[in-house]
Short mmCIF file of all heavy atoms in Angstrom, two decimals:
data_model
loop_
_atom_site.label_atom_id
_atom_site.label_comp_id
_atom_site.label_asym_id
_atom_site.label_seq_id
_atom_site.Cartn_x
_atom_site.Cartn_y
_atom_site.Cartn_z
N MET Z 1 0.83 -1.17 0.00
CA MET Z 1 0.00 0.00 0.00
C MET Z 1 0.88 1.25 0.00
O MET Z 1 1.84 1.35 0.75
CB MET Z 1 -0.90 -0.01 1.24
CG MET Z 1 -1.82 1.15 1.29
SD MET Z 1 -3.00 0.87 2.64
CE MET Z 1 -3.56 2.50 2.85
N ASN Z 2 0.59 2.19 -0.84
CA ASN Z 2 1.35 3.43 -0.92
C ASN Z 2 0.98 4.36 0.23
O ASN Z 2 -0.17 4.43 0.63
CB ASN Z 2 1.10 4.15 -2.24
CG ASN Z 2 1.64 3.38 -3.41
OD1 ASN Z 2 2.50 2.52 -3.26
ND2 ASN Z 2 1.15 3.68 -4.58
N LYS Z 3 2.00 5.07 0.74
CA LYS Z 3 1.78 6.03 1.81
C LYS Z 3 2.23 7.40 1.32
O LYS Z 3 3.26 7.53 0.66
CB LYS Z 3 2.63 5.68 3.03
CG LYS Z 3 2.31 4.35 3.64
CD LYS Z 3 3.25 4.09 4.79
CE LYS Z 3 3.10 2.68 5.29
NZ LYS Z 3 4.07 2.38 6.34
N GLN Z 4 1.46 8.41 1.64
CA GLN Z 4 1.88 9.77 1.31
C GLN Z 4 2.93 10.19 2.32
O GLN Z 4 2.70 10.12 3.53
CB GLN Z 4 0.71 10.75 1.33
CG GLN Z 4 1.14 12.13 0.89
CD GLN Z 4 -0.01 13.12 0.77
OE1 GLN Z 4 -1.16 12.72 0.69
NE2 GLN Z 4 0.33 14.38 0.74
N ILE Z 5 4.10 10.62 1.83
CA ILE Z 5 5.19 11.00 2.71
C ILE Z 5 5.54 12.47 2.59
O ILE Z 5 6.44 12.94 3.28
CB ILE Z 5 6.45 10.13 2.47
CG1 ILE Z 5 6.96 10.31 1.04
CG2 ILE Z 5 6.15 8.68 2.80
CD1 ILE Z 5 8.32 9.70 0.80
N GLY Z 6 4.87 13.17 1.73
CA GLY Z 6 5.16 14.59 1.58
C GLY Z 6 4.31 15.21 0.50
O GLY Z 6 3.36 14.61 0.01
N ILE Z 7 4.69 16.44 0.15
CA ILE Z 7 3.97 17.17 -0.88
C ILE Z 7 4.95 18.06 -1.62
O ILE Z 7 5.90 18.57 -1.05
CB ILE Z 7 2.82 18.01 -0.26
CG1 ILE Z 7 1.89 18.53 -1.35
CG2 ILE Z 7 3.33 19.12 0.61
CD1 ILE Z 7 0.56 19.01 -0.82
N ILE Z 8 4.76 18.16 -2.92
CA ILE Z 8 5.52 19.11 -3.72
C ILE Z 8 4.68 20.38 -3.76
O ILE Z 8 3.61 20.40 -4.37
CB ILE Z 8 5.78 18.59 -5.15
CG1 ILE Z 8 6.58 17.29 -5.10
CG2 ILE Z 8 6.51 19.65 -5.98
CD1 ILE Z 8 6.77 16.63 -6.43
N ASN Z 9 5.16 21.41 -3.06
CA ASN Z 9 4.36 22.62 -2.96
C ASN Z 9 4.59 23.55 -4.15
O ASN Z 9 5.45 23.30 -5.00
CB ASN Z 9 4.60 23.34 -1.63
CG ASN Z 9 6.02 23.83 -1.47
OD1 ASN Z 9 6.73 24.10 -2.43
ND2 ASN Z 9 6.46 23.94 -0.22
N ASN Z 10 3.82 24.61 -4.20
CA ASN Z 10 3.89 25.53 -5.34
C ASN Z 10 5.25 26.19 -5.49
O ASN Z 10 5.70 26.45 -6.60
CB ASN Z 10 2.78 26.58 -5.24
CG ASN Z 10 1.42 25.99 -5.50
OD1 ASN Z 10 1.26 25.18 -6.40
ND2 ASN Z 10 0.44 26.37 -4.71
N LYS Z 11 5.93 26.44 -4.39
CA LYS Z 11 7.27 27.04 -4.45
C LYS Z 11 8.23 26.12 -5.20
O LYS Z 11 8.98 26.56 -6.08
CB LYS Z 11 7.79 27.32 -3.04
CG LYS Z 11 9.16 27.95 -3.03
CD LYS Z 11 9.62 28.22 -1.60
CE LYS Z 11 11.01 28.82 -1.62
NZ LYS Z 11 11.48 29.08 -0.23
N VAL Z 12 8.21 24.84 -4.88
CA VAL Z 12 9.08 23.86 -5.55
C VAL Z 12 8.68 23.71 -7.02
O VAL Z 12 9.53 23.63 -7.90
CB VAL Z 12 9.04 22.51 -4.81
CG1 VAL Z 12 9.78 21.43 -5.58
CG2 VAL Z 12 9.61 22.65 -3.41
N ILE Z 13 7.38 23.70 -7.28
CA ILE Z 13 6.91 23.59 -8.66
C ILE Z 13 7.44 24.75 -9.50
O ILE Z 13 7.93 24.56 -10.62
CB ILE Z 13 5.36 23.53 -8.70
CG1 ILE Z 13 4.89 22.19 -8.12
CG2 ILE Z 13 4.83 23.72 -10.11
CD1 ILE Z 13 3.40 22.10 -7.87
N ARG Z 14 7.40 25.95 -8.93
CA ARG Z 14 7.92 27.13 -9.65
C ARG Z 14 9.44 27.06 -9.81
O ARG Z 14 9.98 27.32 -10.88
CB ARG Z 14 7.54 28.41 -8.93
CG ARG Z 14 6.10 28.84 -9.14
CD ARG Z 14 5.83 30.26 -8.64
NE ARG Z 14 6.30 30.47 -7.27
CZ ARG Z 14 5.59 30.21 -6.16
NH1 ARG Z 14 4.36 29.72 -6.27
NH2 ARG Z 14 6.09 30.45 -4.97
N LEU Z 15 10.15 26.70 -8.73
CA LEU Z 15 11.62 26.63 -8.77
C LEU Z 15 12.12 25.64 -9.82
O LEU Z 15 13.12 25.87 -10.49
CB LEU Z 15 12.18 26.25 -7.41
CG LEU Z 15 12.18 27.33 -6.35
CD1 LEU Z 15 12.54 26.75 -4.99
CD2 LEU Z 15 13.15 28.44 -6.71
N LEU Z 16 11.40 24.52 -9.95
CA LEU Z 16 11.80 23.48 -10.91
C LEU Z 16 11.15 23.65 -12.27
O LEU Z 16 11.36 22.84 -13.16
CB LEU Z 16 11.47 22.09 -10.35
CG LEU Z 16 12.21 21.71 -9.05
CD1 LEU Z 16 11.73 20.36 -8.55
CD2 LEU Z 16 13.71 21.73 -9.26
N ASN Z 17 10.35 24.71 -12.39
CA ASN Z 17 9.68 25.01 -13.64
C ASN Z 17 8.85 23.82 -14.13
O ASN Z 17 8.88 23.46 -15.31
CB ASN Z 17 10.68 25.47 -14.71
CG ASN Z 17 9.99 26.18 -15.85
OD1 ASN Z 17 8.96 26.81 -15.68
ND2 ASN Z 17 10.58 26.07 -17.02
N LEU Z 18 8.11 23.22 -13.20
CA LEU Z 18 7.26 22.08 -13.54
C LEU Z 18 5.94 22.56 -14.12
O LEU Z 18 5.47 23.65 -13.80
CB LEU Z 18 6.99 21.23 -12.29
CG LEU Z 18 8.23 20.64 -11.63
CD1 LEU Z 18 7.85 19.94 -10.33
CD2 LEU Z 18 8.96 19.69 -12.56
N ASP Z 19 5.36 21.74 -14.95
CA ASP Z 19 4.12 22.10 -15.63
C ASP Z 19 2.91 21.56 -14.86
O ASP Z 19 2.16 20.72 -15.36
CB ASP Z 19 4.15 21.57 -17.06
CG ASP Z 19 3.02 22.13 -17.91
OD1 ASP Z 19 2.52 23.22 -17.59
OD2 ASP Z 19 2.64 21.46 -18.88
N TYR Z 20 2.77 22.02 -13.60
CA TYR Z 20 1.65 21.62 -12.76
C TYR Z 20 1.02 22.87 -12.16
O TYR Z 20 1.71 23.81 -11.79
CB TYR Z 20 2.10 20.70 -11.62
CG TYR Z 20 2.63 19.38 -12.10
CD1 TYR Z 20 3.99 19.12 -12.13
CD2 TYR Z 20 1.76 18.38 -12.53
CE1 TYR Z 20 4.48 17.91 -12.59
CE2 TYR Z 20 2.24 17.17 -12.97
CZ TYR Z 20 3.61 16.94 -13.01
OH TYR Z 20 4.07 15.74 -13.44
N ASP Z 21 -0.30 22.86 -12.05
CA ASP Z 21 -1.01 23.99 -11.47
C ASP Z 21 -1.24 23.83 -9.98
O ASP Z 21 -1.35 24.82 -9.25
CB ASP Z 21 -2.37 24.18 -12.16
CG ASP Z 21 -2.21 24.56 -13.63
OD1 ASP Z 21 -1.24 25.26 -13.96
OD2 ASP Z 21 -3.07 24.15 -14.43
N ASP Z 22 -1.32 22.61 -9.51
CA ASP Z 22 -1.64 22.35 -8.11
C ASP Z 22 -0.49 21.63 -7.42
O ASP Z 22 0.35 21.00 -8.07
CB ASP Z 22 -2.89 21.47 -8.01
CG ASP Z 22 -4.12 22.15 -8.59
OD1 ASP Z 22 -4.26 23.37 -8.36
OD2 ASP Z 22 -4.91 21.46 -9.25
N GLU Z 23 -0.50 21.72 -6.08
CA GLU Z 23 0.47 20.97 -5.30
C GLU Z 23 0.25 19.47 -5.52
O GLU Z 23 -0.86 19.03 -5.80
CB GLU Z 23 0.34 21.33 -3.83
CG GLU Z 23 0.69 22.78 -3.56
CD GLU Z 23 0.59 23.16 -2.10
OE1 GLU Z 23 -0.16 22.48 -1.35
OE2 GLU Z 23 1.23 24.14 -1.71
N LEU Z 24 1.33 18.69 -5.38
CA LEU Z 24 1.27 17.26 -5.67
C LEU Z 24 1.71 16.44 -4.46
O LEU Z 24 2.72 16.77 -3.83
CB LEU Z 24 2.20 16.91 -6.84
CG LEU Z 24 1.92 17.62 -8.15
CD1 LEU Z 24 3.08 17.41 -9.10
CD2 LEU Z 24 0.64 17.09 -8.75
N PRO Z 25 1.00 15.37 -4.16
CA PRO Z 25 1.44 14.49 -3.07
C PRO Z 25 2.65 13.66 -3.52
O PRO Z 25 2.83 13.38 -4.71
CB PRO Z 25 0.23 13.60 -2.81
CG PRO Z 25 -0.52 13.60 -4.10
CD PRO Z 25 -0.26 14.94 -4.73
N ILE Z 26 3.49 13.29 -2.56
CA ILE Z 26 4.62 12.40 -2.81
C ILE Z 26 4.30 11.09 -2.09
O ILE Z 26 4.01 11.08 -0.90
CB ILE Z 26 5.93 12.98 -2.26
CG1 ILE Z 26 6.22 14.33 -2.91
CG2 ILE Z 26 7.09 12.00 -2.49
CD1 ILE Z 26 7.35 15.08 -2.25
N TYR Z 27 4.34 9.99 -2.83
CA TYR Z 27 4.01 8.68 -2.28
C TYR Z 27 5.24 7.77 -2.27
O TYR Z 27 6.14 7.92 -3.08
CB TYR Z 27 2.93 7.99 -3.13
CG TYR Z 27 1.60 8.67 -3.07
CD1 TYR Z 27 1.18 9.50 -4.09
CD2 TYR Z 27 0.75 8.47 -1.98
CE1 TYR Z 27 -0.06 10.13 -4.05
CE2 TYR Z 27 -0.49 9.08 -1.93
CZ TYR Z 27 -0.89 9.91 -2.96
OH TYR Z 27 -2.11 10.53 -2.91
N ILE Z 28 5.22 6.81 -1.34
CA ILE Z 28 6.22 5.75 -1.32
C ILE Z 28 5.47 4.43 -1.15
O ILE Z 28 4.49 4.36 -0.39
CB ILE Z 28 7.27 5.95 -0.20
CG1 ILE Z 28 8.41 4.97 -0.38
CG2 ILE Z 28 6.64 5.85 1.18
CD1 ILE Z 28 9.63 5.31 0.45
N GLY Z 29 5.90 3.42 -1.88
CA GLY Z 29 5.26 2.11 -1.81
C GLY Z 29 6.22 1.06 -1.28
O GLY Z 29 7.41 1.30 -1.09
N GLU Z 30 5.69 -0.11 -1.03
CA GLU Z 30 6.50 -1.21 -0.50
C GLU Z 30 7.68 -1.55 -1.43
O GLU Z 30 8.77 -1.84 -0.96
CB GLU Z 30 5.64 -2.45 -0.27
CG GLU Z 30 4.67 -2.30 0.89
CD GLU Z 30 5.38 -2.08 2.22
OE1 GLU Z 30 6.41 -2.73 2.48
OE2 GLU Z 30 4.89 -1.25 3.00
N ASP Z 31 7.45 -1.53 -2.74
CA ASP Z 31 8.54 -1.82 -3.68
C ASP Z 31 9.65 -0.79 -3.58
O ASP Z 31 10.84 -1.12 -3.68
CB ASP Z 31 8.02 -1.90 -5.12
CG ASP Z 31 7.21 -3.16 -5.38
OD1 ASP Z 31 7.33 -4.12 -4.59
OD2 ASP Z 31 6.46 -3.17 -6.36
N ASN Z 32 9.28 0.50 -3.38
CA ASN Z 32 10.29 1.54 -3.21
C ASN Z 32 11.12 1.29 -1.96
O ASN Z 32 12.36 1.42 -1.98
CB ASN Z 32 9.64 2.93 -3.09
CG ASN Z 32 8.79 3.28 -4.28
OD1 ASN Z 32 7.58 3.26 -4.15
ND2 ASN Z 32 9.39 3.58 -5.41
N ILE Z 33 10.45 0.91 -0.88
CA ILE Z 33 11.15 0.65 0.38
C ILE Z 33 12.08 -0.55 0.23
O ILE Z 33 13.24 -0.51 0.65
CB ILE Z 33 10.14 0.45 1.53
CG1 ILE Z 33 9.42 1.78 1.80
CG2 ILE Z 33 10.83 -0.08 2.78
CD1 ILE Z 33 8.28 1.67 2.77
N LYS Z 34 11.61 -1.62 -0.41
CA LYS Z 34 12.45 -2.80 -0.62
C LYS Z 34 13.67 -2.46 -1.46
O LYS Z 34 14.79 -2.93 -1.19
CB LYS Z 34 11.64 -3.91 -1.28
CG LYS Z 34 10.64 -4.54 -0.35
CD LYS Z 34 9.80 -5.58 -1.07
CE LYS Z 34 8.70 -6.11 -0.18
NZ LYS Z 34 7.80 -7.01 -0.89
N HIS Z 35 13.48 -1.65 -2.49
CA HIS Z 35 14.61 -1.23 -3.33
C HIS Z 35 15.62 -0.44 -2.51
O HIS Z 35 16.83 -0.68 -2.61
CB HIS Z 35 14.11 -0.37 -4.50
CG HIS Z 35 15.21 0.33 -5.23
ND1 HIS Z 35 16.00 -0.31 -6.17
CD2 HIS Z 35 15.68 1.59 -5.14
CE1 HIS Z 35 16.91 0.54 -6.62
NE2 HIS Z 35 16.74 1.70 -6.01
N MET Z 36 15.14 0.47 -1.68
CA MET Z 36 16.05 1.27 -0.85
C MET Z 36 16.81 0.37 0.12
O MET Z 36 18.02 0.56 0.34
CB MET Z 36 15.27 2.34 -0.09
CG MET Z 36 14.76 3.45 -0.99
SD MET Z 36 13.58 4.58 -0.22
CE MET Z 36 14.32 4.96 1.32
N GLN Z 37 16.15 -0.61 0.70
CA GLN Z 37 16.80 -1.53 1.63
C GLN Z 37 17.88 -2.35 0.92
O GLN Z 37 18.93 -2.62 1.49
CB GLN Z 37 15.78 -2.47 2.27
CG GLN Z 37 14.87 -1.78 3.24
CD GLN Z 37 13.73 -2.66 3.69
OE1 GLN Z 37 13.22 -3.49 2.94
NE2 GLN Z 37 13.30 -2.47 4.94
N LYS Z 38 17.62 -2.73 -0.31
CA LYS Z 38 18.55 -3.57 -1.06
C LYS Z 38 19.69 -2.78 -1.68
O LYS Z 38 20.86 -3.18 -1.60
CB LYS Z 38 17.79 -4.31 -2.16
CG LYS Z 38 18.65 -5.26 -2.95
CD LYS Z 38 17.85 -6.00 -4.00
CE LYS Z 38 18.76 -6.88 -4.82
NZ LYS Z 38 18.07 -7.49 -5.94
N GLU Z 39 19.39 -1.65 -2.29
CA GLU Z 39 20.38 -0.92 -3.09
C GLU Z 39 20.98 0.31 -2.39
O GLU Z 39 22.03 0.78 -2.80
CB GLU Z 39 19.75 -0.47 -4.41
CG GLU Z 39 19.23 -1.60 -5.27
CD GLU Z 39 20.32 -2.52 -5.78
OE1 GLU Z 39 21.48 -2.07 -5.97
OE2 GLU Z 39 20.02 -3.71 -6.01
N HIS Z 40 20.30 0.80 -1.37
CA HIS Z 40 20.74 2.05 -0.72
C HIS Z 40 20.57 1.94 0.80
O HIS Z 40 19.98 2.82 1.43
CB HIS Z 40 19.92 3.24 -1.25
CG HIS Z 40 19.82 3.29 -2.73
ND1 HIS Z 40 20.85 3.74 -3.53
CD2 HIS Z 40 18.82 2.93 -3.58
CE1 HIS Z 40 20.48 3.66 -4.81
NE2 HIS Z 40 19.26 3.17 -4.85
N LEU Z 41 21.09 0.87 1.36
CA LEU Z 41 20.84 0.56 2.76
C LEU Z 41 21.29 1.68 3.71
O LEU Z 41 20.58 2.02 4.66
CB LEU Z 41 21.50 -0.76 3.16
CG LEU Z 41 21.20 -1.25 4.57
CD1 LEU Z 41 19.70 -1.42 4.78
CD2 LEU Z 41 21.94 -2.55 4.83
N GLU Z 42 22.43 2.27 3.45
CA GLU Z 42 22.93 3.33 4.33
C GLU Z 42 21.96 4.53 4.34
O GLU Z 42 21.62 5.06 5.40
CB GLU Z 42 24.32 3.78 3.87
CG GLU Z 42 25.05 4.61 4.88
CD GLU Z 42 26.49 4.85 4.45
OE1 GLU Z 42 27.22 3.88 4.17
OE2 GLU Z 42 26.86 6.03 4.40
N ASP Z 43 21.50 4.94 3.16
CA ASP Z 43 20.54 6.03 3.08
C ASP Z 43 19.21 5.63 3.71
O ASP Z 43 18.58 6.43 4.42
CB ASP Z 43 20.30 6.46 1.62
CG ASP Z 43 21.51 7.12 1.02
OD1 ASP Z 43 22.24 7.81 1.75
OD2 ASP Z 43 21.71 6.96 -0.20
N TYR Z 44 18.77 4.41 3.45
CA TYR Z 44 17.52 3.93 4.03
C TYR Z 44 17.57 4.03 5.55
O TYR Z 44 16.65 4.54 6.19
CB TYR Z 44 17.24 2.49 3.60
CG TYR Z 44 16.07 1.89 4.33
CD1 TYR Z 44 14.77 2.18 3.96
CD2 TYR Z 44 16.28 1.04 5.42
CE1 TYR Z 44 13.69 1.64 4.65
CE2 TYR Z 44 15.20 0.50 6.11
CZ TYR Z 44 13.92 0.80 5.72
OH TYR Z 44 12.86 0.27 6.41
N ASN Z 45 18.65 3.52 6.15
CA ASN Z 45 18.77 3.56 7.60
C ASN Z 45 18.80 4.99 8.14
O ASN Z 45 18.20 5.28 9.17
CB ASN Z 45 20.01 2.79 8.05
CG ASN Z 45 19.84 1.30 7.90
OD1 ASN Z 45 18.73 0.78 7.99
ND2 ASN Z 45 20.92 0.59 7.66
N LYS Z 46 19.48 5.87 7.42
CA LYS Z 46 19.55 7.28 7.84
C LYS Z 46 18.15 7.90 7.86
O LYS Z 46 17.75 8.51 8.86
CB LYS Z 46 20.45 8.05 6.88
CG LYS Z 46 20.51 9.53 7.15
CD LYS Z 46 21.38 10.21 6.10
CE LYS Z 46 21.34 11.71 6.25
NZ LYS Z 46 22.15 12.38 5.21
N TYR Z 47 17.40 7.76 6.77
CA TYR Z 47 16.10 8.40 6.68
C TYR Z 47 15.04 7.67 7.48
O TYR Z 47 14.08 8.26 7.94
CB TYR Z 47 15.69 8.57 5.22
CG TYR Z 47 16.57 9.58 4.54
CD1 TYR Z 47 17.52 9.20 3.60
CD2 TYR Z 47 16.49 10.92 4.88
CE1 TYR Z 47 18.35 10.13 3.00
CE2 TYR Z 47 17.33 11.86 4.30
CZ TYR Z 47 18.25 11.46 3.36
OH TYR Z 47 19.08 12.38 2.79
N ARG Z 48 15.23 6.39 7.68
CA ARG Z 48 14.29 5.62 8.50
C ARG Z 48 14.30 6.14 9.93
O ARG Z 48 13.25 6.28 10.56
CB ARG Z 48 14.65 4.14 8.47
CG ARG Z 48 13.71 3.26 9.26
CD ARG Z 48 14.09 1.82 9.11
NE ARG Z 48 15.46 1.62 9.54
CZ ARG Z 48 15.81 0.95 10.63
NH1 ARG Z 48 14.89 0.40 11.37
NH2 ARG Z 48 17.08 0.80 10.96
N ARG Z 49 15.47 6.45 10.45
CA ARG Z 49 15.57 6.99 11.81
C ARG Z 49 14.90 8.36 11.91
O ARG Z 49 14.34 8.71 12.93
CB ARG Z 49 17.03 7.09 12.24
CG ARG Z 49 17.65 5.76 12.58
CD ARG Z 49 19.01 5.93 13.23
NE ARG Z 49 19.98 6.60 12.39
CZ ARG Z 49 20.77 6.00 11.50
NH1 ARG Z 49 20.70 4.70 11.35
NH2 ARG Z 49 21.63 6.69 10.79
N GLN Z 50 14.98 9.15 10.85
CA GLN Z 50 14.41 10.50 10.85
C GLN Z 50 12.90 10.51 10.59
O GLN Z 50 12.23 11.47 10.94
CB GLN Z 50 15.10 11.37 9.80
CG GLN Z 50 16.57 11.60 10.08
CD GLN Z 50 17.26 12.33 8.94
OE1 GLN Z 50 16.64 12.71 7.96
NE2 GLN Z 50 18.56 12.51 9.07
N ASN Z 51 12.40 9.47 9.95
CA ASN Z 51 10.99 9.45 9.52
C ASN Z 51 10.33 8.14 9.94
O ASN Z 51 9.85 7.39 9.10
CB ASN Z 51 10.90 9.62 8.00
CG ASN Z 51 11.48 10.93 7.55
OD1 ASN Z 51 10.89 11.97 7.76
ND2 ASN Z 51 12.65 10.87 6.93
N THR Z 52 10.27 7.90 11.23
CA THR Z 52 9.79 6.62 11.71
C THR Z 52 8.33 6.34 11.38
O THR Z 52 7.91 5.19 11.32
CB THR Z 52 9.98 6.50 13.24
OG1 THR Z 52 9.32 7.60 13.87
CG2 THR Z 52 11.45 6.49 13.61
N ARG Z 53 7.55 7.37 11.10
CA ARG Z 53 6.14 7.10 10.78
C ARG Z 53 5.95 6.57 9.35
O ARG Z 53 4.93 6.02 9.03
CB ARG Z 53 5.26 8.31 11.04
CG ARG Z 53 5.32 9.40 10.04
CD ARG Z 53 4.38 10.52 10.46
NE ARG Z 53 3.99 11.28 9.31
CZ ARG Z 53 3.58 12.50 9.36
NH1 ARG Z 53 3.50 13.13 10.51
NH2 ARG Z 53 3.23 13.14 8.28
N TYR Z 54 6.95 6.73 8.50
CA TYR Z 54 6.86 6.24 7.11
C TYR Z 54 7.61 4.93 6.91
O TYR Z 54 7.26 4.14 6.07
CB TYR Z 54 7.42 7.27 6.13
CG TYR Z 54 6.75 8.61 6.25
CD1 TYR Z 54 7.48 9.75 6.54
CD2 TYR Z 54 5.38 8.73 6.08
CE1 TYR Z 54 6.86 10.99 6.64
CE2 TYR Z 54 4.76 9.96 6.18
CZ TYR Z 54 5.50 11.07 6.47
OH TYR Z 54 4.90 12.28 6.58
N PHE Z 55 8.68 4.71 7.68
CA PHE Z 55 9.51 3.52 7.52
C PHE Z 55 9.42 2.70 8.78
O PHE Z 55 9.65 3.18 9.87
CB PHE Z 55 10.97 3.92 7.27
CG PHE Z 55 11.17 4.76 6.06
CD1 PHE Z 55 11.31 6.14 6.17
CD2 PHE Z 55 11.20 4.19 4.81
CE1 PHE Z 55 11.51 6.92 5.05
CE2 PHE Z 55 11.39 4.97 3.68
CZ PHE Z 55 11.54 6.32 3.80
N LYS Z 56 9.14 1.41 8.60
CA LYS Z 56 9.04 0.51 9.76
C LYS Z 56 10.33 -0.23 9.96
O LYS Z 56 11.10 -0.44 9.10
CB LYS Z 56 7.89 -0.47 9.54
CG LYS Z 56 6.57 0.25 9.48
CD LYS Z 56 5.46 -0.74 9.21
CE LYS Z 56 4.16 0.04 9.11
NZ LYS Z 56 3.05 -0.76 8.74
#
C-alpha cells in the first residue's frame, strides 16, 4: 500500500519550472522501500531513523 510521505508545494513547482497547477502528493510504496533496503541501505537507515512514521 502506498503512503503519502510529503507534498511538492507551489514554491518547488515554480523553482523546478514544472508544468503543474496544483500541489502534488509524494508517495512511497513497498517496492520503493524494498529497493532502498537492497540498493541504498545506508541512506535507508539514515532516513528511517528520521521518519519513523513512514519507515518501519
Side-chain angles (χ1 to χ4, degrees):
M1 182 171 162
N2 293 340
K3 298 177 189 176
Q4 184 174 342
I5 61 169
I7 192 164
I8 300 175
N9 63 27
N10 288 319
K11 181 179 179 180
V12 172
I13 290 169
R14 283 192 309 273
L15 284 170
L16 298 176
N17 198 29
L18 300 174
D19 191 25
Y20 295 103
D21 295 327
D22 298 320
E23 295 181 337
L24 301 168
I26 301 170
Y27 293 101
I28 190 166
E30 290 298 319
D31 288 342
N32 302 106
I33 292 172
K34 288 176 186 174
H35 168 80
M36 289 169 46
Q37 290 171 327
K38 183 178 177 187
E39 301 294 331
H40 311 283
L41 185 58
E42 195 172 306
D43 291 327
Y44 171 79
N45 288 330
K46 175 183 174 182
Y47 292 108
R48 181 177 58 111
R49 285 190 299 273
Q50 296 173 2
N51 299 288
T52 55
R53 76 180 204 204
Y54 304 121
F55 301 100
K56 296 178 182 175

